[in-house]
Amino acid sequence: MASQLLDLKLWRWQRYTALISLPLVLAHVVLQYWVFGIDSANFDAVSARVKGGIILGLDVLLLAAVSGHAFLGLRSMLQDYARSSRTAAWITRATLFAFAATLVYGLAALVVFL
Amino acid sequence: MADNSASRITLEVFRSEKGRLSRFDVPVPAPASRVLDALLYVREHLDPSLGFRYSCRAGMCGSCALVVNGKEALACQSAIGALGTTTVRLSPLRALPVLHDLMCDMTPFFDTLKRADAAMRPKEPNRKTLRVMPPGEPHRALIEGQNGCLTCGACFSACEWSATRPGYLGPAAMNRVLMLSLDERDARGKSRLATVANESGALRCHGLGNCSQVCPVDIPLREGMQKLKGLLAMEDIS
């Protein structure tokens, strides 16, 4: 039963992250191409933007939402091929670990700019 | 086949004992002749050992469900003229054990209905009849689309998961759960959603829609699964 509730929670989060990702990706594209301009993507310019706080917040949310959606989707696809609940559980652990690793790596990359 | 009046077809039928197809030359009196008519002709005139099921012959019982030229259908409702070919290949429903030729053991399919508890639990168990929902009543509109399932097994056969994922409930059982969870006469109501809120249920459905394509009574099964997923996303299921 506990694993079923987890499956339902993760399935719901796949939907929530899809909803959250859409406006964040749109905002990211608008900011990068029209507000800041892609030609100004050098270290100092990006660092100044990230230190501003709002951009950092948006970037962290974008990282979490998009990575979360991607890895939850990957989990769902891989579980199509799981023939036992034990395999399915390992797939869940592996994809959540990969998501966590991606999150940490992305946050570390952002910290560099601070 | 533009004009099938008084023509002939080759009926290719999977034979379980032989493990291969048998071919029969069958006359087709009219384009509207059904696949079931061809099967009955074979059994009466050519091979009395041919095994297949039928009952009502009117598309109401679901007994004659099988696979016609690769697609699930009712034999009694499949007009030979509409198939557009002079070779008609018949095989048993997929994802179910074959008993004999075109007859399957329907037990795994009916088990999905039992596991999903797909039976009405009336709020008023002592009442002899269910409250009638007249046409136009909003509660009826909620469930009308999901009503009318023949439990023929066509959707179960067509679903990609029925054959490949043991324990998968299948479209028919989940459609019934959806209908009952929305039926205000049912005592269990939305608590039924817990039976499909797992990887053997709605969470595994990818929405391909094979089920909707083959349902002989045109129940919008794929849309029903979407509705079910929407309920799972929003309702408190514990």
Side-chain angles (χ1 to χ4, degrees):
Chain A
M1 180 57 106
S3 72
Q4 286 184 5
L5 285 173
L6 176 64
D7 285 338
L8 181 61
K9 278 195 177 109
L10 293 177
W11 178 83
R12 280 175 172 171
W13 270 104
Q14 193 179 0
R15 294 166 84 97
Y16 302 152
T17 50
L19 281 174
I20 297 165
S21 293
L22 199 55
L24 287 172
V25 167
L26 282 171
H28 181 71
V29 169
V30 166
L31 285 169
Q32 293 299 111
Y33 279 89
W34 284 289
V35 175
F36 301 126
I38 52 173
D39 293 330
S40 71
N42 58 56
F43 183 90
D44 291 331
V46 174
S47 178
R49 289 204 295 262
V50 167
K51 282 176 185 165
I54 293 176
I55 298 298
L56 177 64
L58 283 175
D59 280 344
V60 170
L61 267 177
L62 181 66
L63 171 67
V66 171
S67 309
H69 187 70
F71 281 106
L72 287 171
L74 182 64
R75 172 187 168 269
S76 188
M77 292 300 117
L78 289 173
Q79 289 205 337
D80 284 357
Y81 304 100
R83 287 286 169 260
S84 70
S85 53
R86 191 182 149 109
T87 307
W90 273 109
I91 288 170
T92 298
R93 285 184 202 118
T95 47
L96 289 182
F97 176 80
F99 164 56
T102 302
L103 202 58
V104 166
Y105 179 77
L107 289 172
L110 281 171
V111 161
V112 165
F113 288 99
L114 289 176
Chain B
M1 191 191 268
D3 179 0
N4 242 7
S5 51
S7 61
R8 306 186 78 84
I9 59 162
T10 301
L11 200 67
E12 294 182 341
V13 185
F14 172 78
R15 309 303 300 274
S16 53
E17 272 84 36
K18 296 175 188 172
R20 56 179 170 80
L21 296 172
S22 286
R23 287 181 176 77
F24 304 101
D25 182 44
V26 176
V28 179
S33 297
R34 303 303 202 229
V35 166
L36 181 59
D37 297 324
L39 285 168
L40 287 166
Y41 177 89
V42 169
R43 194 152 77 179
E44 285 168 32
H45 297 100
L46 300 176
D47 187 346
S49 71
L50 179 63
F52 56 94
R53 286 200 181 102
Y54 70 100
S55 183
C56 73
R57 308 195 200 199
M60 292 180 65
C61 71
S63 302
C64 61
L66 39 60
V67 177
V68 180
N69 287 352
K71 186 176 173 182
E72 285 76 1
L74 296 181
C76 69
Q77 298 298 294
S78 299
I80 293 174
L83 294 175
T85 176
T86 55
T87 302
V88 180
R89 180 172 291 193
L90 306 178
S91 43
L93 290 178
R94 293 178 258 248
L96 292 166
V98 177
L99 293 172
H100 175 56
D101 295 343
L102 300 172
M103 302 193 300
C104 292
D105 179 3
M106 300 296 288
T107 307
F109 169 66
F110 290 124
D111 275 347
T112 64
L113 295 167
K114 283 186 201 165
R115 282 191 286 117
D117 189 27
M120 166 74 77
R121 308 280 176 204
K123 276 181 181 166
E124 303 167 85
N126 295 323
R127 191 183 157 135
K128 288 194 189 315
T129 56
L130 283 176
R131 181 182 77 76
V132 172
M133 287 187 181
E137 183 182 320
H139 281 121
R140 177 171 167 150
L142 264 184
I143 63 172
E144 206 160 30
Q146 270 50 57
N147 197 22
C149 175
L150 306 179
T151 57
C152 64
C155 60
F156 184 84
S157 170
C159 178
E160 56 172 346
W161 295 122
S162 298
T164 58
R165 196 168 190 97
Y168 185 64
L169 287 175
M174 287 195 273
N175 175 69
R176 192 67 67 88
V177 167
L178 170 65
M179 186 179 76
L180 292 171
S181 67
L182 297 175
D183 194 329
E184 56 101 31
R185 301 168 298 179
D186 184 70
R188 284 199 62 191
K190 298 239 170 75
S191 70
R192 290 180 175 277
L193 295 174
T195 56
V196 300
N198 52 62
E199 290 286 345
S200 292
L203 304 192
R204 189 102 310 266
C205 171
H206 287 307
L208 278 180
N210 287 349
C211 48
S212 286
Q213 296 278 320
V214 304
C215 179
V217 289
D218 293 324
I219 294 175
L221 292 165
R222 194 191 64 77
E223 289 81 356
M225 290 303 299
Q226 284 300 118
K227 204 186 280 187
L228 194 55
K229 289 176 194 176
L231 289 173
L232 293 182
M234 305 299 291
E235 294 290 328
D236 177 21
I237 298 164
S238 46

